[in-house]
């Protein structure tokens, strides 16, 4: 007799248990076991339950290849789906084999699991393993299909209804419940405050603070006090919600009609615009979408003072200089200068939400996720490495497209039209390159290597290096030579789909369509993980902190930009800012999106076990230790700052684009 001991792990999330009958069949190189019934006692609806069972055979099965897990199609039980996390099989010789599952099973469904070391397609020689691998990918490609979103944009998943999201990619029960609760609470509070349908404009800035009780924090309080300050205005281009646009300016744009005389009073004594050009930063939102209330493509010149403070010294509210498109200066009427800064903040906020955040983290994260699910089977080493960084991404994007973006959706209500959204996304996508997604190259291209107090840059570069070191160790373990990279057909199809469906086959994007070397693979995988975790955190976590106070980051303005000076007042500014309904809806939406949910998974944390090789498990521990050290260093730095930069602290970064 040969006895195999099975440890069956239900998921740790709510409603993962089952009272159904389960059956298992072990498949070896020599023979199969009988279909064995597993009692579900111990696998009830309490989370994290583990059941231990035995499967006996007259003779050894040989090398264990596969495990078939079935759920009884006829047994009546209250729950619809059951989640199996993993099954560990103890062999007759006491060796243990991990069979990762991480799958929801409906009544009557079955799953065929692979166990043991991660393998590439060309390493499988047994016919049953080859067949299982092929069938898994066929099933995945039928379930997850590419769909054209709009012309000139990355493809998306072919599921548009949040209610139709399959169990494999949907939010956990606790997250879905929390999301629904926060949404209903914010809408109820808007109604209670009389802000749901109010078209009135605010009478004062003090009255606006009555809305910001949605969420109180160090940051939101600080922003509401300092949003008018020039130094805080400059600070936000480095460490705010959108540190991705500012760039060094060694030559002024031809359409920015600034003269020496205009800005000389704001430069250091004895200096000139020409002399200071080497340390001046330039910002252009590069978006200009016609609509009832135009989104202005502002030009803003900032100056790095000898005290290392970044200050705005000139603003042009439009791309085309004219008598009606004047240059606004800090010496202008206070309300004129503040109004000009508000138009810049409006353009930057929209650019941040639409391009830096949604396009370059959410939509690209979706591309990476679909390609992984379609082309890399669960036993593939890169599936095991990447799948934690794809968690909840597809469901989050389906919800976003169904509720936030597009005709009649929420974003159109308090920001720009659906046509404007698409045009901005197209333009942003046309400027998205491989280099722009890699922080070392991105920072260098923008000339920001040495500007002081750029905490986003400092943290991003260190995070990239730590992730790159981790990926290097993992990839080198499974791909000891360039020839193994070239020979991996699944890997080549993975990057090929990203190139064609994610970047529309554009060679000038710099995105590869194939891999030839280990080095190429390491860089690309590092970019995927960094984009899906760190870069998303930088764009996502501070949304409410910086944009929740509406005057600091209005997503909609109600008046055209000023064409003359000396005619504005604080009443003009209040009339220009969003009305009560738009401001309230904007604030509540930002609160909903930037909330931290109960099933938050920090970067480098892998609650679902995919790898079983001791060497790889040690690499994960080393990765976590590096992240922990960086977290300590960032916490120490932040303790000395007036306004801490927390968004790139590893313990604040989620593993994936999860909302």
């Amino acid at each position: 007799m040969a006895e195999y001991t099975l440890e069956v792990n239900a998921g740790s999330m709510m409603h993962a248990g089952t009272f159904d009958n389960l059956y298992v069949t072990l498949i070896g190189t020599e023979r199969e076991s009988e279909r064995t019934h597993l009692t579900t006692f111990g696998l009830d609806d309490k989370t994290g339950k583990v059941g231990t069972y035995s499967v006996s055979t007259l003779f050894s099965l040989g090398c264990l290849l596969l495990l078939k897990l079935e759920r009884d199609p006829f047994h009546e039980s209250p729950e619809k789906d059951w989640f199996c996390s993993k099954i560990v099989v103890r062999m007759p010789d006491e060796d243990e084999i991990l069979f990762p599952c991480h799958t929801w099973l409906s009544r009557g469904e079955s799953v065929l699991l692979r166990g043991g070391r991660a393998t590439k397609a060309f390493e499988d020689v047994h016919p049953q393993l080859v067949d299982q691998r092929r069938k898994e990918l066929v099933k995945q490609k039928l379930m997850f299909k590419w769909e054209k979103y709009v012309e000139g944009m990355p493809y998306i998943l072919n599921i548009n209804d949040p209610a139709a999201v399959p169990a494999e990619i949907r939010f956990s029960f606790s997250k879905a419940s929390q999301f629904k609760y926060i949404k209903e609470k914010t809408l109820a509070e808007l109604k209670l405050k009389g802000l749901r349908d109010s078209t009135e404009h605010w009478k004062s800035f003090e009255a606006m603070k009555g809305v910001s009780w949605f969420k109180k924090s160090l940051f939101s309080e600080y922003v509401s006090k300092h949003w008018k300050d020039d130094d805080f205005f400059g600070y936000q281009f480095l460490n705010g919600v959108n540190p991705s646009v500012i760039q060094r300016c060694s030559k002024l744009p031809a359409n920015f009609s600034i003269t020496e005389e205009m800005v000389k009073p704001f430069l250091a004594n004895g200096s000139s615009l020409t002399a200071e050009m080497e340390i001046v930063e330039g910002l252009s939102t590069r978006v200009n979408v016609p609509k009832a209330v135009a989104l202005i493509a502002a030009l803003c010149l900032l100056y790095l003072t000898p005290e290392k403070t970044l200050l705005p010294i000139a603003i042009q509210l439009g791309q085309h200089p004219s008598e009606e498109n004047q240059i606004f200066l800090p010496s202008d009427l206070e309300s004129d200068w503040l109004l000009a800064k508000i138009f810049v903040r409006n353009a930057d906020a929209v650019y941040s939400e639409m391009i830096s955040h949604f396009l370059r983290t959410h939509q690209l994260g979706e591309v990476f996720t679909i390609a992984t699910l379609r082309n890399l089977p669960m036993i593939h080493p890169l599936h095991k490495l990447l799948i934690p960084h794809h968690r909840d991404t597809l469901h989050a994007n389906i919800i976003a497209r169904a509720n936030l973006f597009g005709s009649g959706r929420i974003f159109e209500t308090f920001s720009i039209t659906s046509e404007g959204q698409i045009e901005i996304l197209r333009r942003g996508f046309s400027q998205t390159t491989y280099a722009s997604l890699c922080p070392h190259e991105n920072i260098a291209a923008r000339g920001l290597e040495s500007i002081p107090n750029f905490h986003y840059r400092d943290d991003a570069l260190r995070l990239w290096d730590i992730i790159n070191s981790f990926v290097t160790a993992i990839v080198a373990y499974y791909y000891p030579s360039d020839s193994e990279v070239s020979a991996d057909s699944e890997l080549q199809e993975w990057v090929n789909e990203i190139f064609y469906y994610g970047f529309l086959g554009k060679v000038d994007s710099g995105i590869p369509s194939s891999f030839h070397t280990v080095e190429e693979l390491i860089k690309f995988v590092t970019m995927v993980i960094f984009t899906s975790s760190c870069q998303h955190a930088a764009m996502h976590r501070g949304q409410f902190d910086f944009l929740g106070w509406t005057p600091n980051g209005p997503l909609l303005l109600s008046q055209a930009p000023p064409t003359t000076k000396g005619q504005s007042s604080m009443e003009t500014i209040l009339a220009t800012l969003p009305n009560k309904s738009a401001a309230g809806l904007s604030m509540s939406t930002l609160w909903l999106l930037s909330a931290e949910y109960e099933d938050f998974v920090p970067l480098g944390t892998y609650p679902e076990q995919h790898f079983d090789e001791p060497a790889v498990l040690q690499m994960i521990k080393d990765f976590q230790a590096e992240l922990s050290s960086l977290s300590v260093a960032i916490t120490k730095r932040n303790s000395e700052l007036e306004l801490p930069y927390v968004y790139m602290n590893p313990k604040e970064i989620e593993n994936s684009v999860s909302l």
Side-chain angles (χ1 to χ4, degrees):
M1 291 288 291
E3 184 168 312
Y4 299 81
T5 304
L6 278 61
E7 185 179 271
V8 181
N9 291 259
S12 59
M13 69 280 291
M14 293 177 66
H15 302 301
T18 183
F19 291 97
D20 266 358
N21 293 319
L22 303 174
Y23 299 91
V24 69
T25 305
L26 302 179
I27 303 170
T29 53
E30 300 297 325
R31 55 187 60 83
E32 296 183 7
S33 72
E34 292 185 358
R35 182 172 180 262
T36 304
H37 173 249
L38 308 180
T39 173
T40 55
F41 180 75
L43 289 175
D44 59 22
D45 201 37
K46 294 180 180 178
T47 60
K49 288 296 183 179
V50 178
T52 303
Y53 313 94
S54 292
V55 175
S56 299
T57 62
L58 288 175
F59 303 99
S60 170
L61 303 177
C63 294
L64 193 55
L65 300 175
L66 301 166
L67 185 155
K68 184 177 182 181
L69 180 65
E70 303 173 72
R71 191 173 170 195
D72 193 334
F74 305 111
H75 188 268
E76 292 293 334
S77 59
E79 75 284 341
K80 178 182 177 183
D81 299 316
W82 169 62
F83 187 84
C84 177
S85 176
K86 63 182 179 180
I87 299 176
V88 178
V89 179
R90 186 179 303 114
M91 305 287 285
D93 62 3
E94 298 300 317
D95 280 349
E96 290 188 349
I97 301 177
L98 170 69
F99 287 82
C101 185
H102 311 301
T103 301
W104 288 93
L105 289 177
S106 296
R107 191 171 298 118
E109 284 190 336
S110 66
V111 61
L112 199 58
L113 305 177
R114 284 280 302 268
R117 185 184 191 274
T119 65
K120 304 180 285 291
F122 61 81
E123 294 172 326
D124 283 347
V125 293
H126 195 283
Q128 290 200 70
L129 295 182
V130 174
D131 187 58
Q132 182 273 339
R133 195 175 195 119
R134 179 186 62 81
K135 288 180 177 178
E136 180 185 335
L137 289 183
V138 168
K139 178 184 175 183
Q140 292 294 96
K141 288 182 178 180
L142 288 173
M143 179 178 295
F144 302 106
K145 296 179 180 180
W146 296 103
E147 180 178 285
K148 191 172 186 177
Y149 182 34
V150 292
E151 191 67 36
M153 287 294 296
Y155 279 60
I156 62 174
L157 186 66
N158 69 326
I159 299 175
N160 299 308
D161 181 3
V165 173
E168 287 81 358
I169 60 170
R170 70 183 174 214
F171 289 170
S172 67
F173 179 83
S174 61
K175 182 172 184 175
S177 300
Q178 191 179 0
F179 183 85
K180 181 180 179 182
Y181 169 75
I182 295 175
K183 182 178 180 180
E184 291 176 349
K185 179 181 178 183
T186 57
L187 292 176
E189 289 174 342
L190 285 177
K191 187 175 182 179
L192 184 65
K193 286 281 186 176
L195 301 175
R196 274 292 286 272
D197 304 304
S198 175
T199 58
E200 291 183 10
H201 280 271
W202 303 95
K203 302 298 184 185
S204 68
F205 294 114
E206 193 62 32
M208 274 189 193
K209 294 181 180 179
V211 186
S212 61
W213 48 261
F214 278 122
K215 176 182 175 183
K216 294 289 186 181
S217 71
L218 165 69
F219 297 97
S220 59
E221 291 290 326
Y222 187 95
V223 172
S224 67
K225 291 178 182 177
H226 296 277
W227 70 280
K228 295 180 182 179
D229 301 346
D230 283 358
D231 56 351
F232 182 62
F233 179 89
Y235 168 91
Q236 291 182 79
F237 291 115
L238 296 176
N239 303 305
V241 75
N242 188 27
S244 304
V245 179
I246 187 170
Q247 58 188 4
R248 181 183 297 274
C249 181
S250 57
K251 181 181 179 181
L252 286 176
N255 60 341
F256 202 178
S257 55
I258 300 175
T259 65
E260 288 277 0
E261 290 71 24
M262 286 181 181
V263 298
K264 192 169 184 178
F266 316 114
L267 304 179
N269 289 337
S271 189
S272 68
L273 184 60
T274 303
E276 293 289 350
M277 200 69 77
E278 291 302 314
I279 57 171
V280 170
E281 312 300 327
L283 166 72
S284 171
T285 61
R286 298 187 297 278
V287 291
N288 186 14
V289 182
K291 61 188 293 284
V293 179
L295 177 63
I296 300 302
L299 291 164
C300 179
L301 187 67
L302 299 112
Y303 169 58
L304 185 65
T305 70
E307 295 75 32
K308 309 304 181 186
T309 301
L310 196 62
L311 297 176
I313 60 172
I315 293 173
Q316 180 177 294
L317 297 180
Q319 297 284 311
H320 307 291
S322 68
E323 291 185 4
E324 293 187 346
N325 188 8
Q326 300 192 31
I327 301 294
F328 290 88
L329 305 169
S331 55
D332 290 339
L333 186 69
E334 179 187 0
S335 56
D336 282 354
W337 180 235
L338 183 58
L339 193 58
K341 288 192 294 180
I342 286 173
F343 274 91
V344 174
R345 293 297 307 142
N346 166 239
D348 189 59
V350 172
Y351 188 100
S352 171
E353 288 299 301
M354 296 300 302
I355 297 175
S356 301
H357 184 195
F358 183 66
L359 170 65
R360 293 181 180 161
T361 63
H362 277 261
Q363 287 201 271
L364 292 186
E366 181 168 358
V367 167
F368 303 146
T369 302
I370 298 172
T372 296
L373 292 172
R374 286 173 51 85
N375 298 289
L376 302 179
M378 288 182 66
I379 198 66
H380 195 286
L382 286 187
H383 178 103
K384 292 173 179 282
L385 175 62
L386 292 174
I387 202 66
H389 303 288
H390 299 329
R391 171 180 170 269
D392 287 350
T393 299
L394 298 180
H395 196 175
N397 283 6
I398 291 167
I399 289 175
R401 285 190 292 269
N403 294 281
L404 290 179
F405 303 112
S407 180
R409 308 290 198 271
I410 293 175
F411 203 79
E412 189 174 52
T413 304
F414 63 75
S415 189
I416 57 177
T417 64
S418 57
E419 294 83 2
Q421 295 168 31
I422 294 301
E423 182 60 24
I424 284 180
L425 289 171
R426 280 200 189 103
R427 295 185 186 193
F429 181 63
S430 70
Q431 299 166 355
T432 302
T433 64
Y434 191 9
S436 71
L437 302 174
C438 302
H440 283 279
E441 296 166 58
N442 180 296
I443 295 295
R446 292 194 282 142
L448 303 179
E449 302 97 317
S450 59
I451 187 170
N453 304 316
F454 194 5
H455 309 308
Y456 161 81
R457 173 204 58 207
D458 299 340
D459 297 349
L461 296 184
R462 284 183 288 183
L463 281 162
W464 174 277
D465 292 344
I466 290 172
I467 294 170
N468 184 255
S469 178
F470 172 56
V471 172
T472 297
I474 296 282
V475 170
Y477 181 80
Y478 291 106
Y479 295 89
S481 67
D482 293 342
S483 61
E484 296 212 7
V485 171
S486 299
D488 189 344
S489 58
E490 293 167 342
L491 174 66
Q492 299 297 340
E493 188 61 26
W494 175 72
V495 72
N496 189 56
E497 286 203 354
I498 291 173
F499 175 68
Y500 280 103
Y501 291 103
F503 291 84
L504 309 183
K506 294 181 178 180
V507 176
D508 59 358
S509 70
I511 294 292
S513 60
S514 61
F515 295 127
H516 304 286
T517 67
V518 174
E519 184 178 358
E520 290 173 350
L521 176 57
I522 289 170
K523 179 182 177 181
F524 194 84
V525 173
T526 301
M527 181 275 292
V528 170
I529 295 176
F530 180 86
T531 300
S532 302
S533 56
C534 308
Q535 187 65 12
H536 177 252
M539 303 300 111
H540 171 81
R541 299 283 289 175
Q543 288 179 100
F544 186 86
D545 291 343
F546 287 97
L547 307 182
W549 173 244
T550 300
N552 186 62
L555 290 164
L556 173 72
L557 293 178
S558 302
Q559 302 286 339
T563 57
T564 58
K565 294 185 179 183
Q567 303 298 313
S568 70
S569 64
M570 287 301 166
E571 287 71 25
T572 307
I573 292 175
L574 289 167
T576 301
L577 290 170
N579 63 32
K580 291 183 177 181
S581 175
L585 187 57
S586 172
M587 295 174 75
S588 63
T589 301
L590 292 169
W591 181 27
L592 175 67
L593 296 179
S594 58
E596 183 172 310
Y597 289 83
E598 294 172 357
D599 61 355
F600 174 86
V601 180
L603 178 64
T605 304
Y606 303 105
E608 295 183 346
Q609 186 179 356
H610 293 273
F611 289 106
D612 195 32
E613 298 90 317
V616 177
L617 296 179
Q618 184 59 50
M619 293 172 195
I620 292 173
K621 289 182 180 179
D622 294 342
F623 178 44
Q624 293 169 338
E626 288 290 322
L627 292 173
S628 179
S629 295
L630 177 58
S631 181
V632 171
I634 290 175
T635 301
K636 182 178 183 300
R637 177 203 66 200
N638 285 343
S639 68
E640 302 169 358
L641 297 177
E642 179 182 5
L643 188 63
Y645 184 73
V646 301
Y647 310 116
M648 298 289 263
N649 188 326
K651 67 181 182 180
E652 301 286 343
I653 297 171
E654 189 142 19
N655 244 347
S656 60
V657 180
S658 63
L659 193 61

